[in-house]
Amino acid sequence: MNDELLVRARGLRKEFGDFTAVDGIDVDVRRGEAFGFLGPNGAGKSSSMRMIGAVSPVSGGELRVFGLDPATDGASIRARLGVVPQTDNLDEELTVEENLRVYGRYFGLSGAVVAERARELLDFAQLTERATDRVEPLSGGMKRRLTIARSLINNPEALLLDEPTTGLDPQARHILWDRLFRLKRAGVTLIITTHYMDEAEQLCDRLVVMDKGRIVAEGSPRALIDEHSTREVLELRFDVDDHLGSAGDVDGIGQRVEVLPDRLLIYTDDGDVALDEVTARGVRPMSSLVRRSTLEDVFLHLTGRTLVD
Amino acid sequence: MGATMATRGPAPMTVGTRLRAVVAFYAVVYRRVWRGSVIGRFLNPLLVVLSIGFGLGSLVDHSSGGVGGHDYLHFVVPAIIATQAMSVALGESTYQVMGYIMWNKMYLAMLATPLSVTDVLAGHLLAVALHLVFASVLFVGVAACLGAFTSWWVILAVPAAVLTGLAFAIPIFGYTARLETDTGFNVLFRFVVTPLMLFSGTFFPVDQLSPFLRPIAWVTPLWHGVELCRDAAYGQVHGADLVHAGALLLFIGLGWVWARWSFTRRLVV
Ligand SMILES: Nc1ncnc2c1ncn2[C@@H]1O[C@H](COP(=O)(O)OP(=O)(O)OP(=O)(O)O)[C@@H](O)[C@H]1O
Ligand SMILES: [Mg+2]
């Protein structure tokens, strides 16, 4: 791993009028790593990404991208980045190929270079067969792949992906993840936002957990789970409307109990032992499940809320 | 280390490259619709000359012997070069611009690249100017074949029409970028465009207006455009035309400042 910092933020803030969307975050992204912003809706992930992408002015704190200041060197920064925004902004009336060619020109690439790159990228995005089709009727996954292909037209050093797979079906997500792994192997730095913990676990070497504009935890997915959760979780569902009433029944089992509206989560290093204890007390849940801890549990522990509601 | 990293990356693009890149996008968009557009641009002058020029014109000429010593056909068609430029400008600066801001967010896609707000705005306006040239040349050509003009100087009506179109398009770009919904366009069409057609001397000279209403004409770009196009078509270009051209340039200049401010406010948040 290279320790050259592609992004360095200190006390970075974004305000919209009186509202603070990003409330003083410190972020370091190194060249070649896959870095994630994990957080629920409204956490300030997109606002952070748009500042890093040098399209949204910084309201406070310090930000350097490639060592440059976005306020004065925005164009130079953008020339070296690829951007996949949260919602696709393709021209759906144009063809797949036209979208790529037009975009390449914005980076000052010649027609010949763009045509060559477009061919490679269509292949990479598995869209060669649709090259001359209009974008509009394509599936969500195809449009997303086209947006990613488009973001690569300038051979960027770093790719900003804002919720790359939100709204896609599982198969489309896996195709996309596969493409992103390839990019990472090719040395492209990935900066990803997501509110899916499985995506963060799959893709990110390191991530920050964001909530209400602040960073509440930072580290590799594994380290975060080790630090903020137990090895296993026992999930219990009871035949009741509100699980709060059932919490007393399992009090003292495991290291910690979290109450969600539809289930109880018992945090413990051995789920089966905990389940035996529950049964020994004569408590009869409708269903039970032992699983490994995930980033979702980390988030729940740190904020008292679930990531996706 | 920071210094070496900062100096990496491609060389900055020239203004010419940036504007050409933006215009290239509109060229691709236009390529998709050019057939319909060309047919429309041919039919439009044909219908105008036949219906208003010959039809209404024969009535006017019979009852009053034309306008100021000119056949009604020769009076009205040059003015319509300017009104057509206005309607092309409206078509390009209202729903289109709103779409690129709000619907498919094309401008934001451009701004994620090295392009600046100024490049995005100037490039789009350049594309509008090219469309205006194309539409005006076609109109003048077709109408000339039908005998609508008396002087070769009518060629000067083309730049006059382009200026007129831009004098509308640029401020309206600014207006559109301030809108949250397209209902704002109703206001524009109902309270600005429609009355303008009446107060601009297109269908009858502004001296026919009551003296109280005449100043309205003076502050509208359309009247200045109409006067310019008409003088060109009569082959009577004179000093007052400098004032008319100056008025249009003023709309263009102030419009540019407003449009740039408005685009920046809307797109850089
Ligand atoms: N242009 C804006 N004007 C005013 N408020 C904004 C603007 N953009 C974002 N916000 C607000 O800032 C907060 C953070 O928004 P942001 O889009 O950064 O969150 P996010 O983490 O990306 O959420 P999501 O998962 O929904 O995309 C939200 O409350 C949002 O409403
Ligand atoms: Mg977002």
Side-chain angles (χ1 to χ4, degrees), chain A residues 3-6 14 16 31 50 54-57 66-68 75 78-80 83 87-94 98-99 102-103 105-108 150 157, chain B residues 1-2 4-10 12-13 17-18 20-22 24-25 28-29 31-32 100 104-106 108-116 267-269:
Chain A
D3 49 10
E4 179 186 9
L5 289 185
L6 284 205
K14 182 72 203 182
F16 298 106
R31 188 179 286 278
R50 288 167 37 72
V55 291
S56 170
F66 303 116
L68 300 168
R78 295 193 298 270
R80 299 162 69 180
V83 177
T87 43
D88 290 326
N89 51 16
L90 300 161
D91 190 322
E92 303 214 335
E93 299 299 320
L94 300 187
E98 283 170 339
N99 265 282
V102 158
Y103 204 73
R105 298 288 299 270
Y106 301 157
F107 290 90
R150 187 183 71 173
E157 294 166 52
Chain B
M1 178 204 75
T4 55
M5 179 169 60
T7 50
R8 243 183 267 165
M13 295 158 69
T17 319
R18 297 200 302 260
R20 266 204 309 279
V22 179
F25 164 68
V28 174
V29 171
R31 204 161 60 203
R32 211 176 47 218
Y100 290 141
N104 66 6
K105 302 192 193 295
M106 251 322 106
L108 288 184
M110 293 179 181
L111 290 173
T113 72
L115 301 176
S116 67
L267 297 170
V268 182
V269 288

Coordinates of all heavy atoms in Angstrom, one line a residue, chain A residues 3-6 14 16 31 50 54-57 66-68 75 78-80 83 87-94 98-99 102-103 105-108 150 157, chain B residues 1-2 4-10 12-13 17-18 20-22 24-25 28-29 31-32 100 104-106 108-116 267-269:
Chain A
D3 N 1.4 5.2 0.7 CA 0.8 6.1 1.7 C 0.6 7.6 1.2 O 0.5 8.5 2.0 CB 1.4 6.0 3.1 CG 2.9 6.2 3.0 OD1 3.4 6.5 2.0 OD2 3.5 5.9 4.1
E4 N 0.7 7.7 -0.1 CA 0.4 9.0 -0.7 C -1.1 9.4 -0.5 O -1.9 8.6 -0.8 CB 0.8 9.0 -2.2 CG 0.5 10.2 -2.9 CD 0.7 9.9 -4.4 OE1 0.9 8.7 -4.8 OE2 0.7 10.9 -5.2
L5 N -1.3 10.6 0.1 CA -2.7 10.9 0.3 C -3.4 11.6 -0.9 O -3.0 12.6 -1.3 CB -2.8 11.9 1.5 CG -2.5 11.3 2.9 CD1 -2.7 12.4 4.0 CD2 -3.3 10.1 3.2
L6 N -4.4 10.9 -1.4 CA -5.2 11.5 -2.5 C -6.2 12.5 -2.0 O -6.4 13.5 -2.6 CB -5.9 10.4 -3.3 CG -5.1 9.6 -4.3 CD1 -6.0 9.0 -5.4 CD2 -3.9 10.3 -4.8
K14 N -19.9 21.4 5.5 CA -20.8 21.8 4.4 C -22.0 22.3 5.0 O -22.7 21.6 5.8 CB -21.1 20.7 3.4 CG -21.9 21.1 2.3 CD -21.2 22.0 1.3 CE -22.1 22.9 0.5 NZ -21.3 23.7 -0.5
F16 N -25.8 24.4 4.3 CA -26.8 24.9 3.4 C -27.7 25.8 4.2 O -28.5 25.4 4.9 CB -27.7 23.8 2.8 CG -26.9 22.8 2.0 CD1 -26.6 21.5 2.5 CD2 -26.4 23.1 0.7 CE1 -25.9 20.6 1.7 CE2 -25.7 22.1 0.0 CZ -25.5 20.9 0.5
R31 N -3.6 6.6 -2.0 CA -3.7 6.1 -3.3 C -3.8 4.6 -3.4 O -3.1 3.9 -2.6 CB -2.4 6.5 -4.1 CG -2.4 6.2 -5.6 CD -1.2 6.7 -6.3 NE -1.1 8.1 -6.4 CZ -1.7 8.8 -7.4 NH1 -2.4 8.2 -8.3 NH2 -1.6 10.1 -7.5
R50 N -19.4 15.5 -3.0 CA -19.4 16.6 -4.0 C -18.3 17.6 -3.7 O -17.8 18.2 -4.6 CB -20.8 17.2 -4.0 CG -21.8 16.2 -4.7 CD -23.3 16.6 -4.5 NE -23.5 18.0 -4.5 CZ -23.4 18.8 -5.6 NH1 -23.2 18.3 -6.7 NH2 -23.6 20.1 -5.4
A54 N -14.9 18.5 -6.2 CA -14.6 19.8 -6.6 C -15.8 20.4 -7.4 O -15.6 21.2 -8.3 CB -13.3 20.0 -7.4
V55 N -17.0 20.0 -7.0 CA -18.2 20.7 -7.7 C -19.0 21.5 -6.6 O -19.8 22.3 -7.0 CB -19.1 19.7 -8.4 CG1 -18.4 19.1 -9.6 CG2 -19.5 18.5 -7.4
S56 N -18.7 21.2 -5.4 CA -19.5 21.9 -4.3 C -18.5 22.6 -3.4 O -17.6 22.0 -2.9 CB -20.3 20.8 -3.6 OG -20.9 21.4 -2.4
P57 N -18.7 24.0 -3.3 CA -17.7 24.7 -2.5 C -17.7 24.3 -1.0 O -18.7 24.0 -0.4 CB -18.2 26.2 -2.6 CG -19.2 26.2 -3.7 CD -19.7 24.8 -3.8
F66 N -5.5 15.4 -4.4 CA -4.3 15.3 -5.1 C -3.3 16.4 -4.6 O -2.5 17.0 -5.4 CB -4.5 15.5 -6.6 CG -5.4 14.5 -7.3 CD1 -6.6 14.9 -7.8 CD2 -5.1 13.1 -7.3 CE1 -7.5 14.0 -8.4 CE2 -6.0 12.2 -7.9 CZ -7.2 12.7 -8.4
G67 N -3.5 16.8 -3.4 CA -2.6 17.9 -2.9 C -3.1 19.3 -3.3 O -2.4 20.3 -3.0
L68 N -4.2 19.4 -4.1 CA -4.6 20.7 -4.6 C -5.9 21.2 -3.9 O -6.6 20.4 -3.3 CB -5.0 20.5 -6.1 CG -3.9 20.1 -7.1 CD1 -4.5 19.7 -8.4 CD2 -2.9 21.2 -7.2
A75 N -10.6 22.7 -11.7 CA -10.6 22.1 -13.0 C -9.5 21.0 -13.1 O -9.7 19.9 -13.6 CB -10.4 23.1 -14.1
R78 N -10.7 17.9 -11.1 CA -11.8 17.2 -11.9 C -11.2 16.5 -13.1 O -11.7 15.4 -13.5 CB -12.9 18.2 -12.3 CG -13.6 18.8 -11.1 CD -14.9 19.5 -11.5 NE -14.7 20.6 -12.4 CZ -14.5 21.9 -12.0 NH1 -14.5 22.2 -10.7 NH2 -14.3 22.8 -12.9
A79 N -10.1 17.0 -13.7 CA -9.5 16.4 -14.8 C -9.0 15.0 -14.5 O -8.8 14.1 -15.3 CB -8.4 17.3 -15.4
R80 N -8.7 14.8 -13.2 CA -8.0 13.5 -12.8 C -9.0 12.6 -12.0 O -8.6 11.6 -11.6 CB -6.8 13.9 -11.9 CG -5.8 14.7 -12.7 CD -4.8 15.4 -11.7 NE -4.0 14.5 -11.1 CZ -3.0 14.8 -10.2 NH1 -2.9 16.1 -9.9 NH2 -2.3 13.9 -9.6
V83 N -16.4 10.5 -11.9 CA -17.5 10.7 -10.9 C -18.7 9.9 -11.4 O -19.2 10.0 -12.5 CB -17.8 12.2 -10.8 CG1 -19.0 12.4 -9.9 CG2 -16.7 13.0 -10.3
T87 N -27.6 9.8 -8.7 CA -28.6 9.5 -9.7 C -27.9 9.7 -11.1 O -27.2 10.7 -11.3 CB -29.8 10.4 -9.6 OG1 -29.3 11.7 -9.4 CG2 -30.7 10.0 -8.5
D88 N -28.1 8.7 -12.0 CA -27.5 8.8 -13.3 C -27.9 10.0 -14.0 O -29.0 10.4 -14.0 CB -28.0 7.6 -14.1 CG -27.4 6.3 -13.6 OD1 -26.2 6.3 -13.2 OD2 -28.1 5.2 -13.7
N89 N -26.9 10.8 -14.6 CA -27.3 11.9 -15.4 C -26.8 11.7 -16.8 O -26.0 12.5 -17.3 CB -26.8 13.2 -14.8 CG -25.3 13.2 -14.4 OD1 -24.6 12.3 -14.8 ND2 -24.9 14.1 -13.6
L90 N -27.3 10.6 -17.4 CA -27.0 10.4 -18.8 C -28.0 11.1 -19.7 O -29.0 11.5 -19.2 CB -27.1 8.9 -19.1 CG -26.2 8.0 -18.2 CD1 -26.8 6.5 -18.2 CD2 -24.8 8.0 -18.8
D91 N -27.6 11.4 -21.0 CA -28.6 11.9 -21.9 C -29.3 10.7 -22.5 O -28.8 10.0 -23.3 CB -28.1 12.8 -23.0 CG -29.2 13.5 -23.7 OD1 -30.2 12.8 -24.0 OD2 -29.0 14.6 -24.1
E92 N -30.5 10.4 -22.0 CA -31.2 9.1 -22.4 C -31.7 9.1 -23.8 O -32.0 8.1 -24.3 CB -32.4 8.9 -21.4 CG -32.0 8.9 -20.0 CD -32.7 7.9 -19.1 OE1 -33.9 7.6 -19.5 OE2 -32.2 7.4 -18.1
E93 N -31.7 10.3 -24.4 CA -32.1 10.3 -25.9 C -31.0 10.0 -26.8 O -31.2 9.6 -27.9 CB -32.6 11.7 -26.2 CG -33.8 12.2 -25.4 CD -35.0 11.3 -25.6 OE1 -35.3 10.9 -26.8 OE2 -35.7 11.0 -24.7
L94 N -29.8 10.1 -26.3 CA -28.6 9.8 -27.1 C -28.3 8.3 -27.0 O -28.8 7.6 -26.1 CB -27.4 10.5 -26.6 CG -27.4 12.1 -26.7 CD1 -26.1 12.7 -26.4 CD2 -27.9 12.5 -28.0
E98 N -22.7 7.5 -28.0 CA -22.7 9.0 -28.0 C -22.5 9.6 -26.6 O -21.8 10.6 -26.5 CB -24.0 9.5 -28.6 CG -24.1 9.4 -30.1 CD -25.5 9.7 -30.7 OE1 -26.5 9.6 -29.9 OE2 -25.6 10.0 -31.9
N99 N -23.1 9.0 -25.6 CA -22.9 9.5 -24.3 C -21.4 9.5 -23.9 O -20.9 10.4 -23.3 CB -23.7 8.6 -23.3 CG -25.1 9.3 -23.0 OD1 -25.2 10.2 -22.2 ND2 -26.1 8.8 -23.6
V102 N -19.3 12.1 -26.2 CA -19.6 13.5 -25.9 C -18.8 13.9 -24.6 O -18.2 14.9 -24.5 CB -21.1 13.7 -25.7 CG1 -21.4 14.9 -24.8 CG2 -21.8 13.9 -27.0
Y103 N -18.9 12.9 -23.6 CA -18.3 13.2 -22.3 C -16.8 13.3 -22.4 O -16.1 14.1 -21.8 CB -18.7 12.1 -21.4 CG -18.7 12.4 -19.9 CD1 -19.6 13.3 -19.4 CD2 -17.7 11.9 -19.1 CE1 -19.6 13.6 -18.0 CE2 -17.6 12.3 -17.8 CZ -18.6 13.1 -17.2 OH -18.6 13.4 -15.9
R105 N -15.0 14.4 -24.8 CA -14.6 15.7 -25.3 C -14.5 16.8 -24.2 O -13.7 17.7 -24.2 CB -15.7 16.2 -26.3 CG -15.8 15.4 -27.6 CD -14.6 15.5 -28.5 NE -14.3 16.8 -29.0 CZ -14.9 17.3 -30.1 NH1 -15.6 16.5 -30.9 NH2 -14.6 18.5 -30.5
Y106 N -15.3 16.6 -23.1 CA -15.3 17.6 -22.0 C -13.9 17.5 -21.3 O -13.6 18.5 -20.6 CB -16.4 17.3 -21.0 CG -17.8 17.3 -21.5 CD1 -18.8 16.6 -20.8 CD2 -18.1 18.1 -22.6 CE1 -20.1 16.7 -21.3 CE2 -19.4 18.1 -23.1 CZ -20.4 17.4 -22.4 OH -21.7 17.4 -22.8
F107 N -13.2 16.5 -21.5 CA -11.9 16.4 -20.9 C -10.8 16.8 -21.9 O -9.6 16.6 -21.6 CB -11.6 15.0 -20.4 CG -12.4 14.6 -19.2 CD1 -13.7 14.0 -19.3 CD2 -12.0 14.9 -17.9 CE1 -14.5 13.7 -18.2 CE2 -12.7 14.6 -16.8 CZ -14.0 14.0 -17.0
G108 N -11.2 17.3 -23.0 CA -10.2 17.7 -24.0 C -9.6 16.6 -24.8 O -8.6 16.8 -25.5
R150 N -18.6 5.8 -18.4 CA -18.4 7.2 -18.7 C -17.4 7.9 -17.8 O -16.5 8.7 -18.2 CB -19.7 7.9 -18.7 CG -19.7 9.4 -19.2 CD -21.0 10.0 -19.0 NE -21.3 10.3 -17.6 CZ -22.4 11.0 -17.2 NH1 -23.2 11.5 -18.1 NH2 -22.6 11.2 -15.9
E157 N -7.4 8.8 -11.9 CA -6.6 8.2 -10.9 C -7.5 7.8 -9.7 O -7.1 6.8 -9.0 CB -5.6 9.3 -10.3 CG -4.6 9.6 -11.4 CD -3.8 10.9 -11.0 OE1 -3.3 10.9 -9.9 OE2 -3.8 11.8 -11.8
Chain B
M1 N 6.5 15.6 -1.7 CA 5.6 14.6 -2.3 C 4.3 15.2 -2.8 O 3.9 15.0 -3.9 CB 5.3 13.6 -1.2 CG 4.3 12.5 -1.7 SD 3.5 11.7 -0.2 CE 2.4 13.0 0.2
G2 N 3.7 16.1 -1.9 CA 2.5 16.8 -2.3 C 2.7 17.6 -3.6 O 1.9 17.6 -4.5
T4 N 4.9 17.1 -6.1 CA 5.0 16.4 -7.3 C 3.6 15.8 -7.7 O 3.3 15.8 -8.9 CB 6.0 15.1 -7.1 OG1 5.5 14.4 -6.0 CG2 7.4 15.6 -6.9
M5 N 2.9 15.4 -6.7 CA 1.5 14.9 -7.1 C 0.7 16.0 -7.7 O -0.1 15.8 -8.6 CB 0.9 14.4 -5.8 CG -0.5 13.8 -6.1 SD -1.2 12.9 -4.7 CE -1.2 14.1 -3.4
A6 N 0.8 17.2 -7.1 CA -0.1 18.3 -7.6 C 0.2 18.7 -9.1 O -0.6 19.2 -9.8 CB 0.1 19.5 -6.7
T7 N 1.5 18.4 -9.5 CA 1.8 18.9 -10.8 C 1.5 17.8 -11.9 O 1.7 18.0 -13.1 CB 3.3 19.2 -10.9 OG1 4.1 18.2 -10.4 CG2 3.6 20.5 -10.2
R8 N 1.1 16.6 -11.4 CA 0.8 15.5 -12.3 C -0.5 15.9 -13.0 O -1.2 16.9 -12.7 CB 0.6 14.2 -11.6 CG 1.6 13.1 -12.0 CD 1.3 11.9 -11.2 NE 2.0 11.8 -10.0 CZ 1.8 10.9 -9.0 NH1 0.7 10.1 -9.2 NH2 2.5 10.8 -8.0
G9 N -1.0 15.0 -14.0 CA -2.3 15.3 -14.6 C -2.1 16.0 -15.9 O -1.1 16.5 -16.3
P10 N -3.2 15.9 -16.7 CA -3.2 16.5 -18.1 C -3.1 18.0 -18.1 O -3.4 18.6 -17.1 CB -4.6 16.1 -18.7 CG -5.4 15.8 -17.5 CD -4.5 15.4 -16.3
P12 N -3.9 21.8 -18.9 CA -5.2 22.5 -18.9 C -5.7 22.7 -20.3 O -4.9 22.8 -21.3 CB -4.9 23.9 -18.3 CG -3.6 23.8 -17.6 CD -2.9 22.7 -18.3
M13 N -7.0 22.7 -20.5 CA -7.6 22.9 -21.8 C -7.7 24.3 -22.2 O -8.0 25.2 -21.3 CB -9.1 22.3 -21.8 CG -9.1 20.8 -21.6 SD -10.7 20.2 -21.0 CE -11.7 20.5 -22.4
T17 N -11.0 24.7 -26.9 CA -11.3 23.3 -26.8 C -12.5 23.1 -25.9 O -13.4 22.2 -26.2 CB -10.1 22.6 -26.1 OG1 -8.9 23.1 -26.6 CG2 -10.2 21.1 -26.3
R18 N -12.6 23.9 -24.8 CA -13.8 23.7 -23.9 C -15.1 24.1 -24.6 O -16.1 23.3 -24.4 CB -13.5 24.6 -22.6 CG -12.3 24.2 -21.9 CD -12.3 24.6 -20.4 NE -12.5 26.1 -20.3 CZ -11.5 26.9 -20.1 NH1 -10.2 26.5 -20.0 NH2 -11.7 28.2 -20.0
R20 N -15.7 24.1 -27.8 CA -16.0 23.2 -28.9 C -16.6 21.9 -28.3 O -17.5 21.3 -28.8 CB -14.8 22.9 -29.7 CG -14.6 23.7 -30.9 CD -13.8 23.1 -32.0 NE -12.5 22.6 -31.4 CZ -11.4 23.4 -31.2 NH1 -11.5 24.7 -31.6 NH2 -10.3 22.9 -30.7
A21 N -16.1 21.5 -27.1 CA -16.6 20.3 -26.5 C -18.0 20.4 -26.1 O -18.8 19.5 -26.3 CB -15.7 19.9 -25.2
V22 N -18.4 21.6 -25.6 CA -19.8 21.8 -25.2 C -20.7 21.8 -26.5 O -21.8 21.2 -26.5 CB -20.0 23.0 -24.3 CG1 -21.5 23.2 -24.0 CG2 -19.2 22.9 -23.1
A24 N -20.2 20.5 -29.2 CA -20.2 19.1 -29.8 C -21.4 18.4 -29.2 O -22.1 17.6 -30.0 CB -18.9 18.4 -29.6
F25 N -21.7 18.6 -28.0 CA -22.8 17.9 -27.3 C -24.1 18.3 -28.0 O -24.9 17.5 -28.4 CB -22.9 18.1 -25.8 CG -24.2 17.8 -25.2 CD1 -24.6 16.5 -25.1 CD2 -25.1 18.8 -24.7 CE1 -25.9 16.1 -24.6 CE2 -26.3 18.5 -24.2 CZ -26.7 17.2 -24.1
V28 N -24.6 16.8 -31.4 CA -25.1 15.4 -31.4 C -26.6 15.4 -31.1 O -27.4 14.7 -31.7 CB -24.4 14.6 -30.3 CG1 -25.0 13.2 -30.1 CG2 -22.9 14.5 -30.6
V29 N -27.0 16.2 -30.1 CA -28.5 16.3 -29.8 C -29.2 16.7 -31.1 O -30.3 16.2 -31.4 CB -28.7 17.3 -28.7 CG1 -30.2 17.6 -28.5 CG2 -28.1 16.8 -27.4
R31 N -28.4 16.5 -34.2 CA -28.3 15.5 -35.3 C -29.5 14.6 -35.2 O -30.0 14.0 -36.2 CB -27.0 14.7 -35.2 CG -26.6 14.1 -36.5 CD -25.2 13.8 -36.5 NE -24.9 12.8 -35.4 CZ -23.7 12.6 -34.9 NH1 -22.7 13.4 -35.3 NH2 -23.5 11.7 -34.0
R32 N -30.0 14.4 -34.0 CA -31.1 13.5 -33.8 C -32.5 14.0 -34.3 O -33.4 13.3 -34.7 CB -31.3 13.2 -32.3 CG -31.8 11.8 -31.9 CD -31.7 11.7 -30.4 NE -32.3 12.9 -29.8 CZ -31.8 13.4 -28.7 NH1 -30.8 12.9 -28.1 NH2 -32.4 14.5 -28.2
Y100 N -32.0 20.5 -18.7 CA -30.6 20.3 -18.4 C -30.3 20.6 -17.0 O -29.3 20.0 -16.4 CB -29.7 21.1 -19.4 CG -29.8 20.6 -20.8 CD1 -29.8 21.5 -21.9 CD2 -29.9 19.2 -21.1 CE1 -29.9 21.0 -23.2 CE2 -29.9 18.8 -22.4 CZ -30.0 19.7 -23.5 OH -30.0 19.2 -24.7
N104 N -32.6 15.9 -16.7 CA -31.5 14.9 -16.9 C -30.2 15.4 -16.3 O -29.2 14.7 -16.4 CB -31.4 14.5 -18.3 CG -30.9 15.6 -19.2 OD1 -30.6 16.7 -18.8 ND2 -30.9 15.4 -20.5
K105 N -30.2 16.6 -15.7 CA -29.0 17.2 -15.0 C -27.7 17.1 -15.9 O -26.7 16.9 -15.4 CB -28.8 16.4 -13.7 CG -30.0 16.5 -12.8 CD -29.6 16.0 -11.4 CE -30.8 15.7 -10.5 NZ -31.6 16.8 -10.1
M106 N -27.9 17.4 -17.2 CA -26.8 17.5 -18.1 C -25.7 18.4 -17.6 O -24.5 18.2 -17.8 CB -27.3 17.9 -19.5 CG -27.3 16.8 -20.5 SD -25.9 15.7 -20.5 CE -26.7 14.3 -19.8
L108 N -24.9 19.4 -14.7 CA -24.1 18.9 -13.6 C -23.1 17.8 -14.1 O -22.0 17.7 -13.6 CB -25.0 18.2 -12.5 CG -25.8 19.2 -11.7 CD1 -26.6 18.5 -10.6 CD2 -24.9 20.3 -11.1
A109 N -23.5 17.0 -15.1 CA -22.6 16.1 -15.7 C -21.4 16.8 -16.2 O -20.3 16.4 -16.1 CB -23.3 15.2 -16.7
M110 N -21.7 17.9 -16.9 CA -20.6 18.7 -17.5 C -19.7 19.3 -16.4 O -18.5 19.3 -16.6 CB -21.1 19.8 -18.4 CG -21.9 19.4 -19.6 SD -22.5 20.8 -20.5 CE -23.3 20.0 -21.9
L111 N -20.3 19.7 -15.4 CA -19.5 20.4 -14.3 C -18.7 19.5 -13.5 O -17.8 19.9 -12.7 CB -20.5 21.2 -13.4 CG -21.1 22.4 -14.1 CD1 -22.2 23.1 -13.2 CD2 -20.1 23.5 -14.5
A112 N -18.9 18.2 -13.6 CA -18.1 17.2 -12.9 C -16.8 17.0 -13.7 O -15.9 16.3 -13.3 CB -18.8 15.9 -12.8
T113 N -16.6 17.6 -14.9 CA -15.4 17.5 -15.7 C -14.7 18.8 -15.6 O -15.1 19.7 -14.8 CB -15.9 17.3 -17.2 OG1 -16.4 18.5 -17.7 CG2 -16.9 16.2 -17.3
P114 N -13.6 19.0 -16.3 CA -12.8 20.3 -16.1 C -13.6 21.5 -16.5 O -13.2 22.6 -16.2 CB -11.6 20.1 -17.0 CG -11.4 18.6 -17.1 CD -12.8 18.0 -17.0
L115 N -14.8 21.4 -17.1 CA -15.5 22.5 -17.6 C -16.0 23.4 -16.4 O -16.4 22.8 -15.4 CB -16.7 22.1 -18.4 CG -16.4 21.3 -19.7 CD1 -17.7 20.8 -20.4 CD2 -15.5 22.1 -20.6
S116 N -16.1 24.7 -16.6 CA -16.6 25.6 -15.6 C -18.0 26.0 -16.0 O -18.5 25.8 -17.1 CB -15.7 26.8 -15.5 OG -15.9 27.6 -16.7
L267 N -26.3 26.0 -9.9 CA -25.5 24.8 -10.2 C -24.3 24.5 -9.2 O -23.9 23.4 -9.1 CB -25.0 24.8 -11.6 CG -26.1 24.8 -12.7 CD1 -25.5 25.1 -14.0 CD2 -26.9 23.5 -12.7
V268 N -23.9 25.6 -8.6 CA -22.7 25.4 -7.7 C -23.2 25.6 -6.2 O -23.3 26.7 -5.7 CB -21.6 26.5 -8.0 CG1 -20.4 26.2 -7.1 CG2 -21.2 26.3 -9.4
V269 N -23.6 24.4 -5.6 CA -24.2 24.5 -4.3 C -23.4 23.5 -3.4 O -22.8 22.6 -3.9 CB -25.7 24.2 -4.2 CG1 -26.5 25.3 -4.8 CG2 -26.0 22.9 -4.9

